[in-house]
Amino acid sequence: MADLGARLVAAFRALNLEQRVAAVAALLLIVSTFGPFSFVELAEVLVALAVLALLFARAERRSFHLPFGDGTVIAAAGVWAGVLIVIRLFDRPLGQNLLALVCAAMLFLAGARERARRPPDDLPPEPPKPRRRRRPRPASAAVDDETEPLPPPEFEPYRAEEGQQLRLGPEGRQPDG
């Protein structure tokens, strides 16, 4: 259990500011569900736990790809939590609703800032490909390493002499006329 606590503290320290705000908002969203509990509150808790699991995995440098990036997923979780809170708006006390709405807004804003900070396609860079070793050259090839390029072929354009007409076609053929 102490190992889990140390991992959680290390993970929280590894997060950037936007991710920390999202983690705190997700925890407060779970706290806001205390009281009368229904399927809507269960859905809010699941959304918050999913955000926390995403942030924990990123803090531990696990690589996986989300289609639109972490920021978009966190912002969508904030919007979905806000919709769920509005559904139960009149069934819960006002203070609890306000806390939950503020937490959903914090989730959305943290996700929007994370998306602006990091590009949506956050695939980790591909590992470098192993370099192939070259076979050593024979000693005879090593002597003639430097070669000079061949000079370009000589080309002289056709220049017609004075009074001469440019002919197109085979030599010696007289035009029909």
Side-chain angles (χ1 to χ4, degrees):
M1 190 67 162
D3 182 40
L4 179 63
R7 284 178 62 197
L8 289 174
V9 170
F12 189 76
R13 287 182 181 163
L15 297 176
N16 63 34
L17 178 66
E18 290 82 10
Q19 291 171 332
R20 287 180 183 182
V21 169
V24 169
L27 287 172
L28 289 175
L29 186 63
I30 292 172
V31 169
S32 74
T33 61
F34 293 158
F37 205 79
S38 69
F39 288 111
V40 175
E41 283 78 19
L42 178 65
E44 289 177 27
V45 169
L46 289 176
V47 166
L49 289 176
V51 169
L52 289 172
L54 166 69
L55 294 173
F56 184 71
R58 288 294 185 207
E60 289 197 333
R61 304 271 185 226
R62 294 197 183 128
S63 62
F64 54 91
H65 175 67
L66 294 175
F68 298 104
D70 294 354
T72 306
V73 170
I74 293 171
V79 169
W80 181 242
V83 168
L84 292 173
I85 292 162
V86 169
I87 288 173
R88 294 273 302 194
L89 193 62
F90 298 111
D91 295 339
R92 298 189 323 181
L94 178 64
Q96 195 174 13
N97 283 331
L98 287 177
L99 174 65
L101 283 174
V102 166
C103 293
M106 283 173 54
L107 261 180
F108 172 74
L109 292 174
R113 285 197 42 116
E114 178 72 15
R115 177 170 165 73
R117 187 170 182 267
R118 186 184 290 177
D121 194 10
D122 53 356
L123 284 175
E126 299 230 357
K129 294 181 180 178
R131 295 183 69 188
R132 293 177 52 177
R133 300 182 90 189
R134 293 186 188 183
R135 286 186 262 156
R137 291 187 190 183
S140 63
V143 173
D144 196 17
D145 270 344
E146 293 187 32
T147 60
E148 293 290 324
L150 293 174
E154 297 299 323
F155 173 76
E156 291 193 27
Y158 174 78
R159 290 190 176 89
E161 294 177 16
E162 183 117 4
Q164 188 180 15
Q165 182 178 359
L166 178 64
R167 284 175 281 164
L168 301 175
E171 296 280 330
R173 190 168 165 210
Q174 297 295 329
D176 294 335

mmCIF file of all heavy atoms in Angstrom, residues 129-148:
data_model
loop_
_atom_site.group_PDB
_atom_site.id
_atom_site.type_symbol
_atom_site.label_atom_id
_atom_site.label_comp_id
_atom_site.label_asym_id
_atom_site.label_seq_id
_atom_site.Cartn_x
_atom_site.Cartn_y
_atom_site.Cartn_z
ATOM 1 N N LYS A 129 15.995 3.245 -35.913
ATOM 2 C CA LYS A 129 16.249 1.929 -36.501
ATOM 3 C C LYS A 129 17.709 1.574 -36.297
ATOM 4 O O LYS A 129 18.583 2.434 -36.358
ATOM 5 C CB LYS A 129 15.920 1.953 -37.987
ATOM 6 C CG LYS A 129 14.453 2.169 -38.240
ATOM 7 C CD LYS A 129 14.163 2.164 -39.707
ATOM 8 C CE LYS A 129 12.672 2.393 -39.911
ATOM 9 N NZ LYS A 129 12.328 2.453 -41.317
ATOM 10 N N PRO A 130 17.992 0.315 -36.043
ATOM 11 C CA PRO A 130 19.398 -0.076 -35.847
ATOM 12 C C PRO A 130 20.171 0.097 -37.146
ATOM 13 O O PRO A 130 19.681 -0.228 -38.219
ATOM 14 C CB PRO A 130 19.320 -1.537 -35.421
ATOM 15 C CG PRO A 130 17.997 -2.013 -35.879
ATOM 16 C CD PRO A 130 17.092 -0.811 -35.903
ATOM 17 N N ARG A 131 21.367 0.627 -37.017
ATOM 18 C CA ARG A 131 22.205 0.840 -38.187
ATOM 19 C C ARG A 131 22.867 -0.466 -38.580
ATOM 20 O O ARG A 131 23.329 -1.213 -37.732
ATOM 21 C CB ARG A 131 23.254 1.888 -37.883
ATOM 22 C CG ARG A 131 22.632 3.246 -37.626
ATOM 23 C CD ARG A 131 23.667 4.279 -37.396
ATOM 24 N NE ARG A 131 24.386 4.508 -38.649
ATOM 25 C CZ ARG A 131 25.459 5.252 -38.750
ATOM 26 N NH1 ARG A 131 25.955 5.838 -37.678
ATOM 27 N NH2 ARG A 131 26.055 5.427 -39.898
ATOM 28 N N ARG A 132 22.884 -0.711 -39.869
ATOM 29 C CA ARG A 132 23.527 -1.924 -40.365
ATOM 30 C C ARG A 132 25.019 -1.671 -40.473
ATOM 31 O O ARG A 132 25.453 -0.610 -40.890
ATOM 32 C CB ARG A 132 22.948 -2.293 -41.721
ATOM 33 C CG ARG A 132 21.495 -2.703 -41.608
ATOM 34 C CD ARG A 132 20.902 -2.994 -42.942
ATOM 35 N NE ARG A 132 21.708 -3.937 -43.696
ATOM 36 C CZ ARG A 132 21.377 -4.404 -44.874
ATOM 37 N NH1 ARG A 132 20.287 -4.027 -45.439
ATOM 38 N NH2 ARG A 132 22.170 -5.250 -45.501
ATOM 39 N N ARG A 133 25.778 -2.650 -40.097
ATOM 40 C CA ARG A 133 27.236 -2.529 -40.182
ATOM 41 C C ARG A 133 27.667 -2.822 -41.602
ATOM 42 O O ARG A 133 27.190 -3.752 -42.245
ATOM 43 C CB ARG A 133 27.891 -3.499 -39.218
ATOM 44 C CG ARG A 133 27.479 -3.227 -37.776
ATOM 45 C CD ARG A 133 28.173 -4.161 -36.864
ATOM 46 N NE ARG A 133 29.420 -3.515 -36.470
ATOM 47 C CZ ARG A 133 30.374 -4.113 -35.809
ATOM 48 N NH1 ARG A 133 30.251 -5.380 -35.495
ATOM 49 N NH2 ARG A 133 31.448 -3.472 -35.463
ATOM 50 N N ARG A 134 28.579 -2.026 -42.071
ATOM 51 C CA ARG A 134 29.120 -2.244 -43.412
ATOM 52 C C ARG A 134 30.222 -3.290 -43.356
ATOM 53 O O ARG A 134 30.974 -3.364 -42.389
ATOM 54 C CB ARG A 134 29.704 -0.957 -43.958
ATOM 55 C CG ARG A 134 28.679 0.090 -44.228
ATOM 56 C CD ARG A 134 29.347 1.251 -44.893
ATOM 57 N NE ARG A 134 28.437 2.364 -45.006
ATOM 58 C CZ ARG A 134 28.748 3.483 -45.601
ATOM 59 N NH1 ARG A 134 29.942 3.644 -46.119
ATOM 60 N NH2 ARG A 134 27.880 4.454 -45.671
ATOM 61 N N ARG A 135 30.283 -4.047 -44.435
ATOM 62 C CA ARG A 135 31.369 -5.005 -44.540
ATOM 63 C C ARG A 135 32.636 -4.250 -44.922
ATOM 64 O O ARG A 135 32.583 -3.305 -45.712
ATOM 65 C CB ARG A 135 31.049 -6.056 -45.590
ATOM 66 C CG ARG A 135 30.007 -7.044 -45.091
ATOM 67 C CD ARG A 135 29.833 -8.132 -46.093
ATOM 68 N NE ARG A 135 28.650 -7.760 -46.885
ATOM 69 C CZ ARG A 135 28.412 -8.168 -48.108
ATOM 70 N NH1 ARG A 135 29.254 -8.947 -48.721
ATOM 71 N NH2 ARG A 135 27.325 -7.808 -48.728
ATOM 72 N N PRO A 136 33.757 -4.640 -44.391
ATOM 73 C CA PRO A 136 34.996 -3.939 -44.766
ATOM 74 C C PRO A 136 35.312 -4.174 -46.235
ATOM 75 O O PRO A 136 35.066 -5.247 -46.788
ATOM 76 C CB PRO A 136 36.045 -4.552 -43.849
ATOM 77 C CG PRO A 136 35.461 -5.817 -43.347
ATOM 78 C CD PRO A 136 33.974 -5.676 -43.415
ATOM 79 N N ARG A 137 35.867 -3.158 -46.868
ATOM 80 C CA ARG A 137 36.229 -3.247 -48.286
ATOM 81 C C ARG A 137 37.536 -4.021 -48.430
ATOM 82 O O ARG A 137 38.391 -3.966 -47.567
ATOM 83 C CB ARG A 137 36.440 -1.862 -48.860
ATOM 84 C CG ARG A 137 35.192 -1.077 -48.977
ATOM 85 C CD ARG A 137 35.546 0.190 -49.714
ATOM 86 N NE ARG A 137 34.454 1.124 -49.674
ATOM 87 C CZ ARG A 137 34.480 2.281 -50.285
ATOM 88 N NH1 ARG A 137 35.556 2.652 -50.956
ATOM 89 N NH2 ARG A 137 33.466 3.076 -50.223
ATOM 90 N N PRO A 138 37.685 -4.641 -49.576
ATOM 91 C CA PRO A 138 38.984 -5.281 -49.840
ATOM 92 C C PRO A 138 40.060 -4.200 -49.985
ATOM 93 O O PRO A 138 39.780 -3.060 -50.321
ATOM 94 C CB PRO A 138 38.781 -6.028 -51.149
ATOM 95 C CG PRO A 138 37.343 -5.942 -51.477
ATOM 96 C CD PRO A 138 36.704 -4.962 -50.574
ATOM 97 N N ALA A 139 41.286 -4.557 -49.747
ATOM 98 C CA ALA A 139 42.391 -3.598 -49.762
ATOM 99 C C ALA A 139 42.568 -2.969 -51.137
ATOM 100 O O ALA A 139 42.935 -1.804 -51.242
ATOM 101 C CB ALA A 139 43.680 -4.282 -49.330
ATOM 102 N N SER A 140 42.293 -3.680 -52.216
ATOM 103 C CA SER A 140 42.476 -3.119 -53.560
ATOM 104 C C SER A 140 41.480 -2.005 -53.838
ATOM 105 O O SER A 140 41.773 -1.053 -54.542
ATOM 106 C CB SER A 140 42.342 -4.214 -54.604
ATOM 107 O OG SER A 140 41.041 -4.748 -54.577
ATOM 108 N N ALA A 141 40.277 -2.072 -53.295
ATOM 109 C CA ALA A 141 39.273 -1.046 -53.522
ATOM 110 C C ALA A 141 39.565 0.200 -52.707
ATOM 111 O O ALA A 141 39.171 1.292 -53.072
ATOM 112 C CB ALA A 141 37.892 -1.584 -53.174
ATOM 113 N N ALA A 142 40.257 0.071 -51.594
ATOM 114 C CA ALA A 142 40.533 1.215 -50.743
ATOM 115 C C ALA A 142 41.537 2.162 -51.376
ATOM 116 O O ALA A 142 41.565 3.340 -51.073
ATOM 117 C CB ALA A 142 41.042 0.741 -49.392
ATOM 118 N N VAL A 143 42.380 1.676 -52.304
ATOM 119 C CA VAL A 143 43.398 2.513 -52.927
ATOM 120 C C VAL A 143 42.764 3.524 -53.862
ATOM 121 O O VAL A 143 43.150 4.680 -53.914
ATOM 122 C CB VAL A 143 44.418 1.630 -53.689
ATOM 123 C CG1 VAL A 143 45.388 2.481 -54.474
ATOM 124 C CG2 VAL A 143 45.118 0.716 -52.727
ATOM 125 N N ASP A 144 41.761 3.113 -54.623
ATOM 126 C CA ASP A 144 41.163 3.969 -55.636
ATOM 127 C C ASP A 144 39.851 4.562 -55.129
ATOM 128 O O ASP A 144 38.832 4.495 -55.804
ATOM 129 C CB ASP A 144 40.939 3.146 -56.898
ATOM 130 C CG ASP A 144 40.683 4.027 -58.110
ATOM 131 O OD1 ASP A 144 41.005 5.225 -58.019
ATOM 132 O OD2 ASP A 144 40.154 3.523 -59.108
ATOM 133 N N ASP A 145 39.847 5.153 -53.925
ATOM 134 C CA ASP A 145 38.617 5.693 -53.348
ATOM 135 C C ASP A 145 38.133 6.939 -54.077
ATOM 136 O O ASP A 145 36.948 7.086 -54.345
ATOM 137 C CB ASP A 145 38.807 6.024 -51.861
ATOM 138 C CG ASP A 145 38.471 4.839 -50.990
ATOM 139 O OD1 ASP A 145 37.823 3.916 -51.500
ATOM 140 O OD2 ASP A 145 38.838 4.858 -49.809
ATOM 141 N N GLU A 146 39.047 7.846 -54.380
ATOM 142 C CA GLU A 146 38.619 9.101 -54.964
ATOM 143 C C GLU A 146 38.716 9.011 -56.478
ATOM 144 O O GLU A 146 39.773 8.713 -57.034
ATOM 145 C CB GLU A 146 39.493 10.225 -54.441
ATOM 146 C CG GLU A 146 39.281 10.466 -52.966
ATOM 147 C CD GLU A 146 40.022 11.697 -52.497
ATOM 148 O OE1 GLU A 146 40.165 12.643 -53.284
ATOM 149 O OE2 GLU A 146 40.442 11.686 -51.351
ATOM 150 N N THR A 147 37.625 9.271 -57.139
ATOM 151 C CA THR A 147 37.604 9.274 -58.591
ATOM 152 C C THR A 147 37.108 10.619 -59.069
ATOM 153 O O THR A 147 36.346 11.293 -58.384
ATOM 154 C CB THR A 147 36.673 8.178 -59.136
ATOM 155 O OG1 THR A 147 35.365 8.420 -58.649
ATOM 156 C CG2 THR A 147 37.145 6.803 -58.749
ATOM 157 N N GLU A 148 37.570 10.998 -60.227
ATOM 158 C CA GLU A 148 37.149 12.253 -60.826
ATOM 159 C C GLU A 148 35.938 11.976 -61.705
ATOM 160 O O GLU A 148 35.897 10.969 -62.412
ATOM 161 C CB GLU A 148 38.280 12.834 -61.680
ATOM 162 C CG GLU A 148 39.482 13.265 -60.885
ATOM 163 C CD GLU A 148 39.188 14.497 -60.055
ATOM 164 O OE1 GLU A 148 38.441 15.381 -60.516
ATOM 165 O OE2 GLU A 148 39.702 14.555 -58.928
#
